[in-house]
Amino acid sequence: EVQLVESGGYLVQAGGSLRLSCAASGFTFDDYAIGWFRQAPGKEREGVSCISSSDGSTIYADSVKGRFTISSDNAKNTVYLQMNSLKPEETAVYYCAATQKGVCTLALREYDYWGQGTQVTVSS
């Protein structure tokens, strides 16, 4: 059974920081790339960042460059998203997803498996 479980979503004030975790099981972690996506109220789901578990290459959306950092701990089959200087408009459900292509992409259609999401609320 393939499973992706997100954690770390909380209520935080604008300018604050959070670290999200995505724990993966049920597939060969090193053969997949893991992406983070978010869906704000009334908006479409958008790509935030991605990391290749095999070589560590990364992609960031322009809106989060310089503030967010994605990393992986392959021994724990876990990917993290460190989010700094959070803005109220970044309030959203954050999802992690896995693509068996093993290369980073922010295109939703390329992902095979999805977690259930974790709520991040940034207050003003």
Side-chain angles (χ1 to χ4, degrees), residues 27-35 50-55 57 59 97-113:
F27 59 93
T28 304
F29 186 79
D30 290 349
D31 292 339
Y32 284 71
I34 305 296
C50 181
I51 186 167
S52 171
S53 297
S54 59
D55 65 10
S57 60
I59 295 173
T99 171
Q100 62 183 330
K101 290 185 177 180
V103 60
C104 286
T105 176
L106 298 185
L108 280 68
R109 65 183 180 274
E110 299 297 333
Y111 284 81
D112 304 294
Y113 307 107

Side-chain angles (χ1 to χ4, degrees), residues 25-88:
S25 62
F27 59 93
T28 304
F29 186 79
D30 290 349
D31 292 339
Y32 284 71
I34 305 296
W36 283 99
F37 299 81
R38 65 188 178 191
Q39 188 164 16
K43 296 184 178 181
E44 298 295 320
R45 192 172 299 185
E46 64 176 351
V48 176
S49 187
C50 181
I51 186 167
S52 171
S53 297
S54 59
D55 65 10
S57 60
T58 59
I59 295 173
Y60 294 93
D62 288 343
S63 61
V64 307
K65 287 180 179 177
R67 297 187 297 115
F68 290 14
T69 303
I70 191 169
S71 61
S72 64
D73 184 340
N74 288 14
K76 296 181 178 180
N77 289 351
T78 300
V79 169
Y80 304 95
L81 184 68
Q82 178 67 44
M83 306 186 295
N84 298 327
S85 301
L86 282 161
K87 305 173 182 179

